Amino acid sequence: MAVIVREKRILSGREVVVKIYKSKHLVTRADKEQAEQLDRFLEEKMKEISREMKESGLLKLKGKKGVLKLWYEIGKRLSFISDKNIVPEDDREFIWQALYDHAGDLHPGKSRMNRPKTNYFRYCILIAQFDWDLVKTSDWTSWVEFLDSKRIREDRRIIEWLLRRSKEKPSKEWVEFTKGSRQDWIRKLTKPIRHRFRRRATTELTDEELFSELDDIFNEIYSSCE
Amino acid sequence: MSNSIESYVPREELRDTIIGWKNIVEQIVDAYRVRRGLVHGVQKDAIQNAWDARVYKKGKEWKITFELVEQGGRAYFVITDRGTYGLTGRILTKEEMESEEKLPENERWGRFEGLGFLKAPLGGTLGARGRGKFVFVGASKTNTIVYDSLRIDGSYRSGFRYVTRTRSPVWAGDEKKGKSKLIEVTGGVFKPLDVVGTRVIIVDPCEELITDVASGLFMRYIEETWWEIIQKYQAKIIMRARGRQRVAQMPAGFDLPEEDTKKYRVWIKNNKKVSIGKTTFKIRKLHIVNKRSGNVPDDIRGVAMQRGGMKICCIDPPRYIPWEIAKSIYGFITLDQQTEEGLLEAQAEDVEHYSYDFRKTLPNAIRRYIEDEMAKFAKEKLGWRVDARTIRRQMQREAERLALTMINKFAREIGISTGPGGGGGGGGKEWKKIRLQTMQPEFPRKDSLRVNYGESLKNISTCVINDTPDQIVVRFKLFIRRGDQEIKTFDEQDVTLDPSSRSQLFGPFQEDFSQDKYPETGKYIIVARIRSLMSENKGEELDEKRLSVYVEEDPPGRGLFEKCQAVEVEDLKLYPMMGQAILGESKGYIFEYNLAHPAYKAVGEDRSSLAEYLFRLMGYELCRIDLEQEEPRLFTKSYKEKAADALFKMNEIVGLLMFRYYSESA
């Protein structure tokens, strides 16, 4: 199959948008038709999400302080991307750029549109997998920074640790740590986590070892904040 | 400077290099392991040595006996031959060994004690470099072998070898001295040989050898490797273990009928001169059999390439033949002496005698001939009705890569191959102290990373090396992935390694590629990885080795054109072109083809027509790219001023390219 993305080209002296059929194979007419069908589906879907966001008033948050809720809700609605029947695995790496093409009002900016692993729509889907209660304790910028770490993206237990620390009887220190300062707490944690596991795969650590190291990180930061 | 650097220092100040003998033995053993295993290597080398030393060409009075002796709380694996010359020759000094690389035929003892000394003359014998005895050493838990020989002139000699970390000492003694030493070192379990021949005793044989001997697998290996001398010369190969004796026969399932029967269909070619391309060779016999009732055992499937009575390797049926037919084909090919010598002279056979280098002309031509004959057999006698749709699908997949591969090949040939993958560099890279050593797996085709459905990737194996002075603990994992998704784990375990040591070999594993397991075609990656489990850096990735495997497609070609990419510009006034080359991401070009063009619409139904169409268009662009070069290769500089001449020349070049496309892809 193939995925249609759009790029600007100068043709006969004029700037025009051309359709590129991204695929790992030569594009036959059958592939072309399927790609066009997918393209129409994505266009409709993005319009529908955009309409919903507008009606719920969330779209107004774009570029503002509480934008996290907008991206969280978009992420929930983009979960269809992981459905193999809609997007074949071979084409998944190209789908993100296509989402950007059809994003309209939802367009998060071009800076990451060609990055299959670290683009904003993918992050929307990732954070939408967690409870809003956890997600809302920080802000979008800090979550992006958090998810930019390969180790964190690859080991779900780090997020689970966050969940546990915040939900299961959060300690007095944790409450103090997270309250009020919003973006700060997750940002303060991200850096030392990235630093500590820069060369180490956390997946080789047992739950106990990983959580103990993460607790250490937390305690170090907490004590330095006091 | 004089001829030899040693003249600059007193001789006594020169030291020999310290050799890691244990590692050498391990390496030799590993090389066998990744082929058919250590135990297979033991029988192959033992019989090869004995057969090479036979007195009569047709094996009259020749016999080899394998015996598992368990006595006095100790085990021995004994290999004894008869009807041979025995280990003739003198005990050679280091100086004598140094004087020439190829030892005379008669100096059998000298070769048996050395390593890396070729026989002279080359032809007529099976072995080559004396690695075999180290398989025996490797099959001993204590790395010890004892041997004795009663030679054809009536003289007796015994000896032994053991291997320590940095030494591989040998001892030898003649007559009385040798006889008493043999009795002494074996605790009286063995008496000196009293019949002409040679005996090798593997002291404390490893468990896998004992297990395979006891289970009968060892005998199966013998029969599958040596069926030709068993059939032709009634060679006597005997196995004795735990009160039972077996004499090797033709391997079960390897019936070789000369005519079609109810149970079998056969395809035979005798004494034929064959020409493939510019290579000509002569076969003695090609004998292919199809078992009508279905499967034949894995170890005999395909056509065995024989040399000097020994099976070297098997050629699998070509990939287009459906599995239902391919799975029941077996047989062999024997070649005339000149062709066999040609293979040896070309150094096409690996040192373990398990494969040929099919990149070389002669083995490649022989393989092509065998494959062609198997396909003819399948079509003419096995009712292989070539399903047009299957072949078409297969051809389309091939064609897809073909356009790029061929245009890049042509560009490379004429010297305009500036594309991705150039340069290289990477020299001077140091080995990591803690690292993986991976063996090259065996692909279905020697020169390609491609695997089709129904085919297997064999001998996936690796080991961990610790060159540090400390004990290490690592987690080893060997798995296959597609993108980020792990498809299958072959092995995962925690490994503790002593200072300066290496682990056991992990594997060899075999992966069978089926459509069920690998529904997506394309690139998969086999990954071997070690991560630290030591407290100071737990989780740190210490080494990783990757190998790409392409399922049902050829690996991407590197070269001038990086890829083809489809674009659609509906307004043909703006973009009337069928396609054009634009600068790519890695110094090469991307060829963009316009899906809106009616010419595309005419060929876009199937990939083969599309591939040909794109090849043609890339041919035109290749001319343009060349003409834009300061020093064009296809054109002369004068064409730059003469547009009409250049266009004519371009037509000629594209014509030539299309000729090659059709002739080489046929």
Side-chain angles (χ1 to χ4, degrees):
Chain A
M1 224 172 103
V3 175
I4 299 174
V5 301
R6 288 158 177 82
E7 284 177 14
K8 281 184 184 160
R9 291 280 166 83
I10 307 285
L11 300 174
S12 304
R14 276 171 55 190
E15 190 182 74
V16 286
V17 174
V18 301
K19 285 196 227 169
I20 313 276
Y21 287 68
K22 293 271 187 188
S23 173
K24 288 179 178 167
H25 303 278
L26 294 185
V27 180
T28 62
R29 279 169 68 174
D31 295 329
K32 181 174 181 281
E33 277 159 25
Q34 278 179 321
E36 282 164 351
Q37 221 175 334
L38 175 66
D39 194 56
R40 282 194 293 275
F41 172 80
L42 291 179
E43 188 181 4
E44 282 306 309
K45 198 78 190 166
M46 292 306 274
K47 272 184 189 161
E48 186 188 309
I49 298 172
S50 177
R51 202 166 37 242
E52 265 188 77
M53 295 301 108
K54 209 176 274 178
E55 281 167 13
S56 63
L58 289 174
L59 193 61
K60 284 184 194 158
L61 296 172
K62 210 176 152 204
K64 294 189 181 140
K65 214 177 170 188
V67 72
L68 180 65
K69 179 68 175 166
L70 171 70
W71 299 130
Y72 184 80
E73 291 299 326
I74 290 173
K76 274 186 167 178
R77 286 157 182 78
L78 287 178
S79 59
F80 69 89
I81 296 293
S82 49
D83 183 342
K84 282 181 196 168
N85 296 316
I86 299 175
V87 184
E89 234 160 83
D90 255 6
D91 292 330
R92 191 151 302 146
E93 65 180 278
F94 307 121
I95 203 78
W96 308 108
Q97 197 181 338
L99 287 182
Y100 274 77
D101 286 348
H102 292 297
D105 294 339
L106 305 177
H107 205 294
K110 283 181 188 172
S111 62
R112 290 168 178 246
M113 66 187 277
N114 292 322
R115 297 190 203 168
K117 286 189 179 166
T118 55
N119 67 79
Y120 285 144
F121 283 127
R122 183 158 188 257
Y123 284 179
C124 290
I125 296 173
L126 282 177
I127 60 165
Q129 289 170 8
F130 306 116
D131 284 352
W132 172 242
D133 283 346
L134 169 76
V135 174
K136 73 177 182 191
T137 57
S138 188
D139 67 5
W140 174 244
T141 315
S142 304
W143 275 110
V144 168
E145 212 169 279
F146 190 64
L147 292 170
D148 274 346
S149 159
K150 191 179 165 211
R151 298 281 182 230
I152 292 170
R153 281 200 311 274
E154 280 177 356
D155 195 341
R156 224 189 131 78
R157 293 177 305 166
I158 299 177
I159 306 269
E160 277 165 13
W161 172 80
L162 270 184
L163 275 168
R164 216 185 46 168
R165 295 278 337 213
S166 56
K167 283 177 82 178
E168 287 170 17
K169 293 182 196 161
S171 65
K172 193 178 134 214
E173 293 91 343
W174 181 267
V175 174
E176 261 177 53
F177 185 57
T178 55
K179 94 175 163 199
S181 56
R182 279 277 144 143
Q183 66 169 32
D184 252 344
W185 73 268
I186 199 162
R187 187 167 277 175
K188 277 180 188 160
L189 275 177
T190 303
K191 211 173 168 184
I193 290 175
R194 287 171 79 154
H195 183 72
R196 184 170 298 203
F197 298 118
R198 201 174 57 221
R199 287 162 180 261
R200 297 166 56 202
T202 54
T203 44
E204 300 304 340
L205 304 180
T206 61
D207 289 355
E208 201 182 334
E209 287 168 337
L210 175 66
F211 294 149
S212 147
E213 289 212 38
L214 289 168
D215 284 340
D216 278 354
I217 293 172
F218 169 75
N219 290 333
E220 275 169 31
I221 301 163
Y222 183 73
S223 57
S224 69
C225 291
E226 279 180 322
Chain B
M1 192 171 160
S2 79
N3 284 342
S4 172
I5 198 165
E6 66 185 10
S7 60
Y8 289 88
V9 289
R11 221 187 163 98
E12 59 274 17
E13 284 184 21
L14 289 169
R15 290 172 296 115
D16 280 335
T17 304
I18 295 168
I19 296 170
W21 274 101
K22 279 249 184 205
N23 278 341
I24 286 181
V25 172
E26 276 296 315
Q27 280 164 16
I28 291 173
V29 167
D30 284 352
Y32 281 86
R33 273 191 215 282
V34 296
R35 283 162 176 86
R36 299 288 306 276
L38 169 67
V39 179
H40 199 283
V42 168
Q43 63 81 23
K44 197 168 192 175
D45 265 279
I47 299 175
Q48 179 195 297
N49 290 341
W51 188 249
D52 273 354
R54 68 194 182 280
V55 176
Y56 299 104
K57 201 181 166 193
K58 293 189 176 177
K60 191 179 142 195
E61 293 170 18
W62 182 89
K63 184 169 95 173
I64 185 166
T65 308
F66 295 94
E67 190 172 6
L68 178 64
V69 176
E70 291 163 302
Q71 205 172 313
R74 217 165 177 188
Y76 305 88
F77 190 70
V78 189
I79 306 158
T80 315
D81 62 47
R82 299 275 184 274
T84 57
Y85 287 100
L87 288 173
T88 53
R90 295 161 303 139
I91 299 169
L92 298 175
T93 61
K94 197 175 169 188
E95 287 69 31
E96 283 173 307
M97 300 284 272
E98 201 154 318
S99 63
E100 53 182 332
E101 196 197 2
K102 291 182 183 178
L103 293 173
E105 175 83 35
N106 185 46
E107 297 292 358
R108 292 185 173 89
W109 187 274
R111 268 199 309 279
F112 191 75
E113 285 193 333
L115 171 66
F117 294 93
L118 289 169
K119 280 184 190 99
L122 186 66
T125 54
L126 297 166
R129 289 172 193 274
R131 292 160 67 91
K133 63 191 147 290
F134 284 97
V135 179
F136 305 149
V137 173
S140 157
K141 282 191 277 195
T142 45
N143 291 142
T144 307
I145 57 171
V146 179
Y147 36 90
D148 65 339
S149 188
L150 185 61
R151 286 93 67 87
I152 201 149
D153 61 0
S155 62
Y156 176 88
R157 184 179 295 151
S158 79
F160 60 77
R161 170 191 294 278
Y162 65 97
V163 168
T164 67
R165 206 155 146 199
T166 55
R167 295 176 65 223
S168 177
V170 287
W171 180 90
D174 287 333
E175 304 305 342
K176 261 191 171 175
K177 190 178 169 193
K179 286 177 183 174
S180 58
K181 188 59 79 183
L182 177 100
I183 295 167
E184 189 189 334
V185 297
T186 62
V189 174
F190 297 97
K191 293 191 169 52
L193 276 184
D194 54 7
V195 180
V196 175
T198 300
R199 171 170 60 184
V200 178
I201 302 164
I202 299 175
V203 181
D204 305 318
C206 60
E207 287 310 316
E208 57 184 301
L209 179 56
I210 295 175
T211 308
D212 287 355
V213 163
S215 71
L217 200 55
F218 188 80
M219 192 44 125
R220 173 72 189 183
Y221 291 157
I222 291 172
E223 292 173 340
E224 164 254 323
T225 310
W226 296 100
W227 64 268
E228 192 185 340
I229 60 168
I230 295 169
Q231 186 200 49
K232 233 188 221 172
Y233 306 116
Q234 290 76 51
K236 280 197 185 65
I237 307 173
I238 296 162
M239 176 75 242
R240 287 194 203 112
R242 295 177 180 168
R244 293 180 65 185
Q245 174 171 306
R246 264 203 68 190
V247 180
Q249 296 168 340
M250 284 295 281
F254 199 70
D255 298 327
L256 294 169
E258 292 286 326
E259 288 174 351
D260 290 350
T261 65
K262 267 188 184 174
K263 279 172 78 178
Y264 301 102
R265 293 284 181 273
V266 298
W267 185 264
I268 296 174
K269 304 281 164 193
N270 279 310
N271 298 318
K272 207 168 176 285
K273 195 172 173 184
V274 182
S275 293
I276 303 269
K278 288 176 188 167
T279 311
T280 301
F281 58 91
K282 225 172 148 187
I283 64 159
R284 275 195 187 136
K285 187 169 188 177
L286 172 70
H287 191 152
I288 314 177
V289 182
N290 166 253
K291 189 181 171 195
R292 307 296 290 161
S293 56
N295 268 0
V296 295
D298 283 352
D299 59 350
I300 55 169
R301 189 177 299 129
V303 171
M305 277 183 79
Q306 299 287 128
R307 183 176 67 77
M310 169 171 73
K311 173 180 166 183
I312 303 292
C313 61
C314 253
I315 304 297
D316 292 330
R319 56 193 183 217
Y320 295 128
I321 295 182
W323 179 239
E324 290 69 42
I325 293 176
K327 69 182 182 184
S328 51
I329 285 179
Y330 63 93
F332 70 90
I333 189 168
T334 48
L335 306 159
D336 80 331
Q337 199 180 335
Q338 212 182 335
T339 308
E340 283 194 352
E341 281 170 10
L343 285 168
L344 290 173
E345 277 160 20
Q347 297 188 342
E349 189 177 308
D350 68 4
V351 289
E352 291 82 20
H353 315 296
Y354 278 98
S355 185
Y356 288 107
D357 182 348
F358 290 104
R359 288 170 301 186
K360 295 193 169 169
T361 316
L362 182 56
N364 185 36
I366 297 168
R367 185 175 67 174
R368 272 182 64 188
Y369 168 70
I370 298 169
E371 286 178 347
D372 288 351
E373 290 298 318
M374 279 195 268
K376 277 189 210 163
F377 180 33
K379 268 188 217 163
E380 290 177 28
K381 293 183 86 170
L382 306 180
W384 176 34
R385 270 181 235 97
V386 186
D387 174 3
R389 274 178 311 174
T390 312
I391 294 293
R392 193 176 159 81
R393 269 202 299 275
Q394 182 76 34
M395 282 173 61
Q396 284 190 353
R397 280 198 291 264
E398 300 282 325
E400 202 169 321
R401 293 269 173 202
L402 194 64
L404 264 183
T405 309
M406 285 193 60
I407 198 77
N408 283 333
K409 185 179 160 198
F410 184 77
R412 231 182 346 260
E413 276 173 20
I414 57 169
I416 44 173
S417 55
T418 56
K429 196 176 166 187
E430 278 184 23
W431 278 2
K432 292 176 177 171
K433 293 273 187 197
I434 302 170
R435 63 183 181 275
L436 286 156
Q437 187 181 46
T438 49
M439 312 301 165
Q440 183 64 29
E442 199 180 306
F443 280 81
R445 282 157 290 281
K446 264 274 159 84
D447 49 359
S448 172
L449 300 176
R450 176 179 175 140
V451 182
N452 290 330
Y453 290 139
E455 294 180 339
S456 307
L457 186 63
K458 295 173 187 165
N459 296 328
I460 304 164
S461 56
T462 183
C463 70
V464 185
I465 293 174
N466 174 21
D467 269 348
T468 71
D470 308 307
Q471 190 186 61
I472 59 161
V473 189
V474 297
R475 178 159 298 153
F476 165 80
K477 189 172 180 180
L478 183 64
F479 60 104
I480 187 162
R481 67 174 165 84
R482 181 181 170 80
D484 287 340
Q485 192 193 351
E486 280 186 30
I487 308 290
K488 178 179 176 175
T489 300
F490 297 106
D491 200 354
E492 183 171 17
Q493 53 179 288
D494 298 347
V495 182
T496 304
L497 280 182
D498 287 335
S500 304
S501 68
R502 56 195 285 151
S503 72
Q504 65 181 93
L505 191 77
F506 300 106
F509 299 99
Q510 174 171 323
E511 185 59 2
D512 303 322
F513 287 80
S514 66
Q515 197 154 6
D516 294 349
K517 284 196 279 180
Y518 296 89
E520 308 280 348
T521 60
K523 185 180 178 182
Y524 289 79
I525 299 172
I526 294 176
V527 184
R529 185 176 73 197
I530 40 172
R531 284 175 173 165
S532 167
L533 289 181
M534 293 163 286
S535 55
E536 64 272 20
N537 61 346
K538 189 166 183 181
E540 185 175 330
E541 196 155 289
L542 300 170
D543 198 12
E544 183 171 296
K545 293 273 190 312
R546 280 173 253 173
L547 174 80
S548 301
V549 180
Y550 292 83
V551 175
E552 285 284 319
E553 69 178 43
D554 286 331
R558 289 178 161 185
L560 186 67
F561 289 94
E562 293 168 14
K563 61 180 175 184
C564 293
Q565 179 168 279
V567 297
E568 189 175 34
V569 190
E570 282 175 3
D571 186 348
L572 287 178
K573 279 181 198 158
L574 281 175
Y575 191 78
M577 280 184 280
M578 292 184 275
Q580 66 170 333
I582 62 166
L583 278 178
E585 291 143 10
S586 327
K587 295 186 205 163
Y589 291 87
I590 295 172
F591 185 77
E592 287 195 337
Y593 54 107
N594 186 4
L595 301 191
H597 200 285
Y600 164 80
K601 289 174 184 167
V603 296
E605 284 297 332
D606 72 80
R607 288 182 216 279
S608 327
S609 317
L610 183 54
E612 190 260 19
Y613 169 77
L614 294 179
F615 181 80
R616 189 189 299 259
L617 297 181
M618 283 190 280
Y620 285 115
E621 283 297 78
L622 180 65
C623 293
R624 179 178 66 81
I625 292 165
D626 185 52
L627 205 49
E628 282 174 354
Q629 308 283 316
E630 203 168 314
E631 297 287 339
R633 305 292 174 113
L634 291 165
F635 297 84
T636 55
K637 273 187 177 174
S638 62
Y639 281 108
K640 291 193 175 198
E641 273 79 51
K642 296 175 194 164
D645 287 355
L647 287 173
F648 185 80
K649 177 77 180 166
M650 179 162 84
N651 229 347
E652 191 183 295
I653 293 165
V654 174
L656 173 77
L657 279 173
M658 296 312 292
F659 173 80
R660 286 192 53 178
Y661 183 83
Y662 283 109
S663 53
E664 288 182 29
S665 64

